[in-house]
Amino acid sequence: MDYILENLLSEPLTPWLSGSGPEGEIVLSSRIRLARNLKSQPFPGRASAAKLGEIMAELKAVPAELMADDGHEYVFVELEKLSPLARYVLVEKHIVSPNHVADPKNRALVVRDDASVSIMVNEEDHLRLQCLEAGLNLTEAFAKATTVDDIIEATHTLAFMEHIGYLTACPTNIGTGLRASVMVHLPALALTKQMGTMVAIATRLGLTVRGLYGEGTEATGNIFQISNQVTLGRSEPDIINNLNSVVKQIVDKERMARSLLINETPDVLADRVWRAYGVLRYAQSLSASESLALLSEVRLGIDLGVIDEALPALFNQLLVTTRPNFLQNLSGEVALNQAESNKLRAKLVRLSLQGN
Amino acid sequence: MDYILENLLSEPLTPWLSGSGPEGEIVLSSRIRLARNLKSQPFPGRASAAKLGEIMAELKAVPAELMADDGHEYVFVELEKLSPLARYVLVEKHIVSPNHVADPKNRALVVRDDASVSIMVNEEDHLRLQCLEAGLNLTEAFAKATTVDDIIEATHTLAFMEHIGYLTACPTNIGTGLRASVMVHLPALALTKQMGTMVAIATRLGLTVRGLYGEGTEATGNIFQISNQVTLGRSEPDIINNLNSVVKQIVDKERMARSLLINETPDVLADRVWRAYGVLRYAQSLSASESLALLSEVRLGIDLGVIDEALPALFNQLLVTTRPNFLQNLSGEVALNQAESNKLRAKLVRLSLQGN
């Protein structure tokens, strides 16, 4: 089943990047993450190497359990057996976290053939189960996560306490262990300088807004992750409904900002997005952040019907293929320096756009 | 013979913009200008309207005299009979000077069908005769100017004094009345910050370096006019040889700078010129100065074989078609505002580049 891993590393397009799904022109993907721990073992941060090994050994059975339920193929990947580069490609594809690969010994990943279900083993918790859907579809992602969770709970005894809920390594995850998040593309709110207000409102409503690559990263490409902060004292449906309704409001605001741009300053908008397209189509060197910024403008142009030469899926695909480690993986063994990486990135973007 | 004027106003490509000619990848054109005055009349600056009318009347015979010699068609155009816009198109095409059209009453233009010979009547002097050639070809331009001068002198008595030479309204033109100039494209010297030194050297050698549109204009598009300062006390061949040899040295320096760019930093150069091409090809709004700057980079890319999608002649053509008044003339009666003009310019550039 190495081909699953192989595809995951070399194919740019995971299904949740297909550009389809509800509100797909603004919401790229929806994600549900559940934090779970085995009752019989200490949390990974306090576990010895031997204990971590025992946890891995117990959870090796999970792929077979899941396969029996949905018929999809699942693979159990020991991170230590991957090259450092392969690990970073998985980070760029949002399949594992930077923390998870930082010390790969006794860490593993369970992943479904289409990458829409994955479980980090021995990250901060024993199990970090993640389900992804294209567009705004938290309900479907949660339903899928619940199924996976139930299957695991049927065979493994999890750390759970009446009146509190699931126990987790970090108190901020205790209770439901649930993090619901969506990845949204908000170029018009960014262009019209409304993101500051938007972040403040979301924060007051118990949500966190971050950049594309998790905490501390800037929102390059105008792509933001919006997720719940509170996991304790609220039911799962409450958490999901709250996030869902705030995201819908943000989507509306983004739509209004887009209407404003296309109606009030159509020429300025057209000039801006076509210039971005022109630079992407002909540049011979592109940094990761410049290409994200330009791709964001082009995607806005596609969404508003100004640019008709490229497809939404292409934009989403390029979000992944222009990442440094994905590029390095493409180019094979020899380590790329910055200039070479920027050159390869520009070539890849040119080829993609000319193929349209 | 209105079609000559018609072509002059609507066709972008005058022969000296063909992009061919000696050193044609750096020297766009060579120009010889002779200042001449009728002996019997006061200089235009001191002449009454009646006197200016008399001068016009006498010089109306010139087209027929020239036609008899070279078989080309010539037209006598009274500037007052042209629309203001048409006059400014002639300025942009370097056929008349801004001063000449400032007060069009009793001013005229004699122009050959291919625009390579023209005479401003009642500019600063009674006759300002101009001959243009593509590339670095001052000798040919001077030979042509001498022929025209001889034909005029055979029928009209000119203001000339032994030991001094031709008398002119401004003392800086006295003697030969000759201004020899070349229009050069020096993007590599500009990019490598050598233009300051170049201008200083040229000035020490008795030459003047100016921007594309005469005194006081900046060198947008890295296009410079280099001309002689001294007209008195040196023979015509001396003046021309001096300019010719300095220009050849500047051309060599530009070639060296280009070699350096293409050999030392080929990736940086390729990225730069292709980005300029991408913006020109897709922008929806372009100011006159931005388009000149971008066209300059693209032309450099063409000359160095980096860009293979556009022809040198196209670059030269766009130098004219992107000028504000030429654009206005293209668009017909309705006056364009800045935004409309920038939009039309971008459209014209896009169509030109996509046609390739």
Side-chain angles (χ1 to χ4, degrees):
Chain A
M1 274 176 301
D2 277 356
Y3 76 94
I4 296 179
L5 183 66
E6 206 46 57
N7 278 351
L8 200 56
L9 292 173
S10 60
E11 288 299 310
L13 207 60
T14 44
W16 53 274
L17 277 179
S18 68
S20 57
E23 321 282 7
E25 89 280 19
I26 293 170
V27 183
L28 302 180
S29 63
S30 299
R31 188 169 70 117
I32 292 292
R33 186 265 282 155
L34 298 175
R36 298 292 184 256
N37 289 278
L38 300 175
K39 187 168 188 177
S40 56
Q41 297 285 3
F43 293 131
R46 313 202 50 121
S48 64
K51 288 282 180 194
L52 289 172
E54 284 175 28
I55 297 159
M56 289 252 289
E58 174 169 354
L59 296 175
K60 258 191 183 145
V62 168
E65 294 160 16
L66 296 175
M67 209 177 309
D69 175 69
D70 67 6
H72 275 278
E73 300 216 60
Y74 287 81
V75 68
F76 189 93
V77 183
E78 294 182 35
L79 294 190
E80 208 185 357
K81 295 190 178 163
L82 295 178
S83 70
L85 177 59
R87 286 179 218 134
Y88 285 111
V89 172
L90 294 176
V91 172
E92 285 176 350
K93 297 186 96 174
H94 304 270
I95 303 293
V96 300
S97 70
N99 279 342
H100 195 210
V101 300
D103 177 11
K105 200 164 156 54
N106 289 316
R107 323 276 164 190
L109 166 72
V110 175
V111 62
R112 195 166 97 161
D113 48 15
D114 65 0
S116 73
V117 177
S118 59
I119 303 166
M120 291 188 278
V121 173
N122 286 335
E123 205 241 22
E124 194 177 277
D125 296 295
H126 298 151
L127 294 132
R128 282 277 177 110
L129 148 57
Q130 169 176 278
C131 288
L132 281 167
E133 289 290 327
L136 181 58
N137 205 348
L138 288 164
T139 316
E140 178 62 29
F142 181 65
K144 206 182 262 179
T146 305
T147 307
V148 173
D149 188 30
D150 289 348
I151 291 166
I152 292 170
E153 208 153 3
T155 339
H156 308 273
T157 311
L158 299 182
F160 180 86
M161 285 176 75
E162 207 67 40
H163 304 301
I164 294 182
Y166 293 98
L167 303 183
T168 54
C170 177
T172 60
N173 293 315
I174 229 161
T176 57
L178 170 70
R179 177 134 297 153
S181 68
V182 292
M183 205 186 277
V184 285
H185 182 224
L186 306 174
L189 287 175
L191 261 175
T192 55
K193 316 263 180 236
Q194 297 183 68
M195 275 312 298
T197 319
M198 218 51 62
V199 171
I201 293 173
T203 306
R204 270 210 308 280
L205 296 167
L207 301 175
T208 306
V209 181
R210 295 179 297 189
L212 177 57
Y213 283 94
E215 284 177 78
T217 59
E218 268 180 53
T220 337
N222 303 313
I223 294 172
F224 301 86
Q225 278 186 49
I226 308 176
S227 60
N228 65 309
Q229 258 171 335
V230 182
T231 56
L232 183 66
R234 301 183 71 171
S235 73
E236 285 92 342
D238 269 7
I239 292 170
I240 289 171
N241 289 340
N242 178 45
L243 177 59
N244 200 57
S245 97
V246 175
V247 168
K248 277 198 167 154
Q249 288 173 50
I250 292 176
V251 166
D252 284 344
K253 294 273 184 214
E254 170 69 17
R255 284 224 180 87
M256 278 169 58
R258 289 183 183 195
S259 295
L260 208 75
L261 288 175
I262 192 85
N263 292 322
E264 307 280 314
T265 52
D267 293 346
V268 175
L269 177 76
D271 187 46
R272 189 174 177 121
V273 300
W274 275 115
R275 277 170 184 252
Y277 184 81
V279 171
L280 282 176
R281 203 171 149 171
Y282 287 103
Q284 308 290 307
S285 173
L286 284 169
S287 73
S289 65
E290 187 190 10
S291 58
L292 272 182
L294 293 169
L295 285 167
S296 168
E297 306 221 332
V298 170
R299 172 70 199 253
L300 178 63
I302 296 170
D303 289 341
L304 292 176
V306 175
I307 293 179
D308 46 10
E309 289 194 25
L311 301 165
L314 184 66
F315 165 84
N316 294 4
Q317 180 182 329
L318 285 170
L319 286 188
V320 172
T321 55
T322 56
R323 302 310 302 167
N325 295 302
F326 189 89
L327 276 179
Q328 176 62 66
N329 192 53
L330 258 190
S331 80
E333 297 296 303
V334 187
L336 298 173
N337 63 30
Q338 180 95 33
E340 290 163 339
S341 180
N342 290 349
K343 210 170 151 178
L344 180 61
R345 180 179 294 109
K347 189 176 174 183
L348 201 130
V349 170
R350 286 203 308 280
L351 290 175
S352 301
L353 293 178
Q354 283 161 17
N356 257 273
Chain B
M1 276 177 300
D2 276 356
Y3 77 94
I4 295 179
L5 183 64
E6 208 45 57
N7 277 350
L8 200 56
L9 292 173
S10 60
E11 288 298 312
L13 208 60
T14 44
W16 53 274
L17 277 179
S18 68
S20 56
E23 322 281 7
E25 91 280 17
I26 294 170
V27 184
L28 303 180
S29 64
S30 299
R31 186 170 70 115
I32 292 290
R33 185 265 281 155
L34 298 176
R36 298 290 185 259
N37 289 278
L38 301 174
K39 186 167 188 178
S40 56
Q41 297 284 3
F43 291 131
R46 313 203 49 123
S48 63
K51 286 286 179 191
L52 289 172
E54 283 176 29
I55 297 159
M56 290 253 288
E58 173 169 353
L59 296 175
K60 260 191 182 145
V62 168
E65 294 160 15
L66 296 175
M67 210 178 307
D69 174 69
D70 67 7
H72 275 278
E73 299 215 62
Y74 287 82
V75 67
F76 189 93
V77 183
E78 293 182 36
L79 294 190
E80 208 184 356
K81 296 190 176 164
L82 294 179
S83 70
L85 177 60
R87 284 179 219 133
Y88 284 110
V89 172
L90 294 177
V91 172
E92 285 177 350
K93 298 186 94 173
H94 302 270
I95 303 293
V96 301
S97 69
N99 279 342
H100 195 209
V101 300
D103 176 12
K105 200 164 156 56
N106 288 316
R107 324 277 163 190
L109 166 71
V110 176
V111 62
R112 197 167 98 161
D113 48 15
D114 66 359
S116 74
V117 177
S118 59
I119 303 167
M120 289 189 280
V121 173
N122 285 336
E123 204 242 22
E124 194 177 279
D125 296 294
H126 298 152
L127 295 133
R128 282 276 179 109
L129 148 58
Q130 169 175 278
C131 288
L132 281 167
E133 291 289 327
L136 181 57
N137 205 349
L138 289 164
T139 315
E140 178 63 28
F142 181 67
K144 206 182 262 178
T146 304
T147 307
V148 173
D149 188 31
D150 289 349
I151 291 165
I152 292 170
E153 208 154 3
T155 340
H156 308 272
T157 309
L158 299 182
F160 180 87
M161 284 177 75
E162 207 68 40
H163 303 301
I164 293 183
Y166 293 98
L167 304 183
T168 55
C170 176
T172 60
N173 292 316
I174 228 161
T176 57
L178 170 71
R179 177 135 297 153
S181 68
V182 292
M183 204 185 278
V184 285
H185 182 226
L186 306 175
L189 288 175
L191 262 176
T192 54
K193 315 264 180 233
Q194 297 182 67
M195 275 312 299
T197 319
M198 219 50 64
V199 171
I201 293 173
T203 306
R204 269 210 307 279
L205 296 167
L207 302 175
T208 306
V209 181
R210 294 180 297 189
L212 178 56
Y213 283 91
E215 284 177 78
T217 60
E218 268 179 54
T220 337
N222 303 314
I223 295 172
F224 301 85
Q225 279 185 48
I226 308 175
S227 60
N228 64 308
Q229 259 171 334
V230 182
T231 56
L232 182 67
R234 299 183 74 171
S235 73
E236 285 91 342
D238 267 7
I239 292 170
I240 289 170
N241 288 340
N242 178 44
L243 177 60
N244 200 57
S245 96
V246 175
V247 169
K248 279 198 165 155
Q249 288 173 50
I250 292 176
V251 165
D252 284 344
K253 294 274 184 213
E254 170 68 16
R255 285 223 179 88
M256 277 169 59
R258 290 182 182 195
S259 296
L260 208 74
L261 288 176
I262 193 84
N263 292 321
E264 307 280 314
T265 53
D267 293 345
V268 175
L269 178 76
D271 187 47
R272 189 174 177 120
V273 301
W274 275 115
R275 277 170 183 252
Y277 184 81
V279 172
L280 282 175
R281 203 171 148 171
Y282 288 102
Q284 309 290 307
S285 172
L286 283 169
S287 72
S289 65
E290 187 190 10
S291 58
L292 272 182
L294 293 170
L295 285 167
S296 168
E297 305 220 335
V298 170
R299 172 71 200 254
L300 177 64
I302 297 170
D303 289 341
L304 292 176
V306 175
I307 294 179
D308 45 11
E309 289 194 24
L311 302 165
L314 184 67
F315 165 83
N316 295 4
Q317 180 183 328
L318 285 170
L319 286 187
V320 172
T321 56
T322 56
R323 301 311 301 166
N325 294 302
F326 189 89
L327 276 179
Q328 176 62 68
N329 192 54
L330 257 190
S331 80
E333 296 298 302
V334 187
L336 298 173
N337 64 30
Q338 180 96 34
E340 290 163 338
S341 180
N342 290 349
K343 211 170 150 179
L344 180 62
R345 179 179 295 110
K347 188 175 175 185
L348 202 131
V349 170
R350 285 203 309 281
L351 290 175
S352 301
L353 292 179
Q354 283 161 16
N356 258 274

